[in-house]
Amino acid sequence: MDNNCLFCRIVAGEIPATVVHETATTLAFRDIDPKAAVHVLVIPKDHHPDVVALAQNDPAGSADLLAAAAAVAEAEGLLTDGFRLMFNTGAYGGQEVFHVHAHVLGGEPLGPMLAIR
Ligand code: 5GP
Ligand code: ZN
């Protein structure tokens, strides 16, 4: 655990979150500032700064995260109409919290993939 990391502190129970799904290795909770009708963040409990670090250092954890994101999408009723799964990464990606997290977004039409195009 990284004591300076917001999401590690959520995993540790030091900061409250609305948890919607949990496994031995992952946690999923509602985004505090939702950008869609459904906006859930899915994280590995272990600290990895971004999806590249996760993929390179923990292939099993990467698979767990993807499976958890799929389970969240199903539990949130997103499979019929579809949804978006997103990893913001680094400066150009607009990443703000440096503990890897998948955004599960849906529950309404999400519009174009990127606002700049
Ligand atoms: P990023 O830009 O790093 O991909 O996304 C970070 C996300 O974390 C944002 O959507 C933001 O609203 C969310 N967030 C930031 N602080 C908190 C918090 O304390 N609790 C929860 N549940 N979400 C947070
Ligand atoms: Zn962390």
Side-chain angles (χ1 to χ4, degrees):
M1 166 172 176
D2 177 343
N3 286 313
N4 297 317
C5 171
L6 177 62
F7 288 173
C8 281
R9 296 186 68 197
I10 287 177
V11 171
E14 294 175 8
I15 293 173
T18 304
V19 172
V20 297
H21 187 266
E22 183 170 11
T23 68
T25 58
T26 68
L27 189 70
F29 50 91
R30 298 205 186 280
D31 196 290
I32 204 168
D33 181 18
K35 312 298 189 297
V38 174
H39 188 175
V40 175
L41 303 176
V42 189
I43 69 171
K45 289 181 175 176
D46 288 346
H47 182 86
H48 299 276
D50 60 29
V51 70
V52 176
L54 178 68
Q56 291 180 343
N57 297 310
D58 190 355
S62 305
D64 288 354
L65 188 66
L66 204 55
V72 166
E74 182 168 32
E76 296 289 324
L78 306 182
L79 298 192
T80 302
D81 291 326
F83 64 98
R84 190 167 291 158
L85 184 61
M86 202 170 75
F87 291 92
N88 293 328
T89 306
Y92 278 16
Q95 186 177 1
E96 293 176 354
V97 177
F98 287 83
H99 179 132
V100 59
H101 49 282
H103 294 261
V104 176
L105 295 152
E108 62 186 331
L110 297 170
M113 188 165 69
L114 292 173
I116 60 169
R117 291 280 182 269

